[in-house]
Amino acid sequence: MTETAISVERVTYRYHNGFQALTDVDFQIRKHEFVAIIGQNGAGKSTLLKNLVGLYKPTQGNIVVNGINTRDISIARLSTKVGFVLQNPDRQLFANTVEEEITFGPRNLKLEQAEIDRRLEHALEMTGLGPLREDFPMALSAGDRAKVVIASVIAMQPEIIILDEPTTGQDRRGCAQIMDIAKDFQNRGFTVVVVTHHMALVADYAERVIVMCQGQKLLDGPTAEIFTQTQALRKAFVMPPQVTQLAARLQPQLGQQGAVLHTKELADLVARQYFSGKESSIQ
């Protein structure tokens, strides 16, 4: 049985002004999963993430990360277990070079120089930033700035990485590069949680989706299954990917079962239907 990486146990969070951003949220994320958390602005996603990484402590309920309650561990110690990439990477950049940015965390852990160097090279390799190691981070492109933040998180060697809207402001190529890094992280045996409004990326990368609505968990399940629940998604102001919507409209003609998540999948269905029709006419 797969071990649990994150356990969210009936969590409620209320801000100091009395606004309740989360209400009785309950779910588990297993180790090695790639999970997307989606929902409209104000659904509670960012508040949930800040609770997961220990920046906030639940008003009620508990969050347990790799067996440790976030109430019982400092943010500094938790950062070695959970890496957090903010929506705006510029808020996490401060060093003069890419190399200094990546090694800042490991140096704060008082690691041996050999271990710091090993982590640096590993992070550079995973993100493809080797040629930019001496560059000033804030002078890089938006995509490369995001990679620097991800590399600095990877250098802390967390078992879980959480990304809040990591593709904001990125072009298509940048989006793919960042999500490929996240997928590679998962393929190496770690856990990935991504918050995004980009439903096509959810379809391409996430195995499971949690839908938040008005501070509560509305849906939770495999990606293809979630994207068939159009009425519930509409309540959360979420639309499935365009290819999924198109395939649903063509369902009577194509006869497919379940949600179509990828363009190639739809193309294969259309081709199969076309060629089966040709064979019937020949007969």
Side-chain angles (χ1 to χ4, degrees), residues 11-12 54 57-63 68-74:
V11 166
T12 292
K57 307 297 183 184
T59 305
Q60 297 174 6
N62 294 287
I63 294 176
I68 301 175
N69 195 311
T70 58
R71 298 182 187 277
D72 302 328
I73 187 172
S74 68

Side-chain angles (χ1 to χ4, degrees), residues 76 79-80 94-95 98-124 148-158:
S79 69
T80 65
F94 56 87
V98 169
E99 184 171 313
E100 288 176 14
E101 192 76 51
I102 296 171
T103 57
F104 177 80
R107 289 189 191 284
N108 270 5
L109 294 177
K110 312 278 189 220
L111 300 177
E112 296 289 335
Q113 186 61 46
E115 176 63 14
I116 293 172
D117 292 342
R118 187 191 69 79
R119 293 192 182 197
L120 169 65
E121 296 304 325
H122 172 67
L124 290 172
V148 174
V149 173
I150 293 172
S152 67
V153 167
I154 290 172
M156 295 295 286
Q157 293 196 342

